[in-house]
Amino acid sequence: MLIGVIADDFTGASDIASTLAKGIGAEGGLKTAQFSGVPTAPVSAEIEAGVISLKSRSAPVEQAVEDSLRALEWLLAQGCSQIVFKYCSTFDSTPKGNIGPVADALADRLNASGIVVCPAFPATGRSIYQGYLFVGDVLLSESGMRNHPLTPMTDANIRRWLGHQTDSSVDHLPLPRIIKGAAETHKALSESRARFVVADAILDEHLVTLGAALDGAPLVTGGSGIALGLPRNFIRSGQAKGTVPAKGGVSGKAAILAGSCSGATRGQVDLHMQSHPSFAIDVPDVMEGRLGSQDLVAFIEKHSGNAPLVYSSGAPEDVRKIQDRFGVEAVAARLDKLFSETACALLDLDYRRIVVAGGETSGAVAQAVADKLKSPALEIRAEIDPGVPILMLGDDRPVALALKSGNFGSVDFFVKALSMMGDET
């Protein structure tokens, strides 16, 4: 294995896995596999990039650090020469969050410095300029992320925000130096005496330049966009041959589970429910035991063949009221359990295409499905929308998953995903 990725949630792992698998243009990328949690056995020798998905994004700091270091040791044991710490392209963490502590722990273990920090992902509207993170044409702190139920973001200055989480020095790599090319970018990183360097990037070409400048860097951190130029280094050096992800998925019954409250997901839900059967989950009913997975499964079965959707997505003010009543962690845990139980029950009814919206929801569902199928490695296939590939797992009766971060995907993502994943049977 050449590149090892430690991702702090499942959908984040999927989107960087897709980036590594695609690579750039005709030269392709790396043969990539995604793992739900840290594997307990060695990986196949044909895998060139391994992506470990953790649930460390909103975990206690000590647990996030411990899990990340355990993932690091496994990746190093597989022969990885470059490690990527992948976090969300909206850098969603709290002032006491995990990005800084985990990055520090990895840097200590790898004895690394001048480490790039770059959550830019232009394909999904995330860019960094003068150290500030933008979502589209607005600052991150003025976007919908300011209302995130678990990790609200109130400051778009990544250099300052990271400074809240670490005592290490944080520098800035401005766009004019990156525009001058990989050599100048490498020189700028070498000249910095800081442990971390926040790098500007507003176009994919800037990420490709950063990738070239990071050839040989033991540790890189960022959103999935930071991996855009990394496979090329290994392909051009002859360590990898370059591959293209397979298209298609599997035929079978389909369902959509949405647990995200992001603006993008709410828009996708609104469009889908105009022409498809949709079931709004009453969260208080769930919390008080009046609604369970059997109810969701019954609705989906009743409308099988017409892309049925069940969702818990709601407006921020409604979400806050429910969280105030039952507790943030309790609501999140119960909904994750509900969706996981539903997905596993659907497998028993021969559902083979499942779309999931929401980072935490996707992680819970993917872990449950992987455990049920005893299939820890997920094959990365064609990309549906930027950052969202088709994931295949299982041998005898394979299952196709599309796991979408709340903020990702076009407004018609649900129908598009099911179409690319395969046909109804």
Side-chain angles (χ1 to χ4, degrees):
M1 192 182 292
L2 303 170
I3 294 180
V5 180
I6 301 167
D8 64 1
D9 75 350
F10 204 95
T11 52
S14 296
D15 74 64
I16 195 168
S18 179
T19 302
L20 290 168
K22 285 190 308 179
I24 302 172
E27 73 184 11
L30 304 180
K31 181 69 174 177
T32 304
Q34 180 177 340
F35 304 92
S36 183
V38 182
T40 57
V43 71
S44 167
E46 68 177 6
I47 301 302
E48 298 167 328
V51 182
I52 295 177
S53 56
L54 303 175
K55 289 197 71 173
S56 57
R57 177 169 155 189
S58 54
V61 170
E62 295 79 9
Q63 180 185 337
V65 170
E66 179 183 349
D67 291 347
S68 299
L69 288 174
R70 188 160 56 91
L72 173 63
E73 294 304 326
W74 186 84
L75 290 168
L76 293 176
Q78 308 313 304
C80 294
S81 60
Q82 186 165 63
I83 300 296
V84 181
F85 171 35
K86 196 277 175 193
Y87 38 78
C88 186
S89 60
T90 49
F91 208 80
D92 47 352
S93 189
T94 65
K96 295 183 179 180
N98 297 334
I99 293 176
V102 169
D104 267 325
L106 297 176
D108 287 342
R109 172 64 178 83
L110 296 170
N111 192 29
S113 61
I115 301 162
V116 160
V117 175
C118 186
F121 194 3
T124 59
R126 280 66 164 164
S127 60
I128 300 179
Y129 182 65
Q130 298 290 15
Y132 285 82
L133 181 53
F134 288 80
V135 179
D137 61 352
V138 300
L139 290 167
L140 174 67
S141 51
E142 297 174 7
S143 74
M145 285 305 301
R146 67 183 181 275
N147 296 315
H148 193 284
L150 296 178
T151 51
M153 286 297 293
T154 56
D155 187 356
N157 187 314
I158 298 304
R159 186 176 179 183
R160 184 166 56 222
W161 195 257
L162 185 58
H164 293 314
Q165 301 178 355
T166 176
D167 292 329
S168 297
S169 52
V170 184
D171 203 352
H172 175 231
L173 175 56
L175 187 61
R177 296 199 72 174
I178 296 172
I179 290 174
K180 291 181 180 179
E184 178 66 19
T185 301
H186 179 79
K187 180 181 177 183
L189 291 171
S190 301
E191 291 172 349
S192 176
R193 298 188 178 186
R195 166 167 271 190
F196 299 113
V197 182
V198 177
D200 286 349
I202 63 175
L203 299 173
D204 281 352
E205 64 188 69
H206 303 143
L207 294 171
V208 173
T209 298
L210 277 168
L214 293 169
D215 187 8
L219 178 62
V220 179
T221 85
S224 63
I226 195 61
L228 186 62
L230 299 181
R232 172 172 282 179
N233 297 326
F234 294 96
I235 294 169
R236 292 188 172 180
S237 69
Q239 297 177 73
K241 62 181 181 180
T243 59
V244 177
K247 295 182 179 180
V250 62
S251 297
K253 294 194 289 186
I256 305 163
L257 311 176
S260 169
C261 296
S262 73
T265 297
R266 295 202 311 274
Q268 290 155 355
V269 167
D270 288 345
L271 178 64
H272 194 80
M273 64 191 301
Q274 292 177 19
S275 53
H276 298 85
S278 304
F279 183 94
I281 296 170
D282 188 296
V283 178
D285 278 356
V286 176
M287 300 303 295
E288 294 172 350
R290 294 186 296 273
L291 182 70
S293 59
Q294 69 278 3
D295 301 298
L296 274 58
V297 171
F299 174 83
I300 292 169
E301 271 285 86
K302 180 180 179 180
H303 298 283
S304 181
N306 197 21
L309 161 71
V310 295
Y311 65 96
S312 64
S313 310
E317 58 272 16
D318 297 327
V319 173
R320 280 193 293 270
K321 289 178 182 177
I322 294 172
Q323 290 175 331
D324 289 343
R325 180 178 172 186
F326 296 102
V328 175
E329 293 182 359
V331 171
R334 187 63 194 90
L335 288 177
D336 284 351
K337 185 172 185 288
L338 175 68
F339 283 117
S340 297
E341 291 173 346
T342 300
C344 288
L346 291 174
L347 293 184
D348 291 335
L349 295 170
D350 207 32
Y351 281 77
R352 288 295 179 262
R353 296 178 297 149
I354 301 177
V355 178
V356 188
E360 296 296 323
T361 305
S362 291
V365 168
Q367 183 66 66
V369 171
D371 289 346
K372 185 175 179 66
L373 298 178
K374 296 180 174 57
S375 178
L378 292 87
E379 178 189 350
I380 308 301
R381 291 205 176 177
E383 195 173 55
I384 301 165
D385 270 338
V388 192
I390 297 170
L391 302 174
M392 296 295 297
L393 69 166
D395 296 321
D396 296 334
R397 290 285 290 161
V399 173
L401 299 177
L403 307 176
K404 184 192 83 71
S405 174
N407 291 296
F408 281 17
S410 57
V411 69
D412 62 344
F413 176 82
F414 295 151
V415 170
K416 182 191 300 184
L418 291 180
S419 175
M420 290 185 64
M421 292 163 76
D423 299 322
E424 193 77 31
T425 57

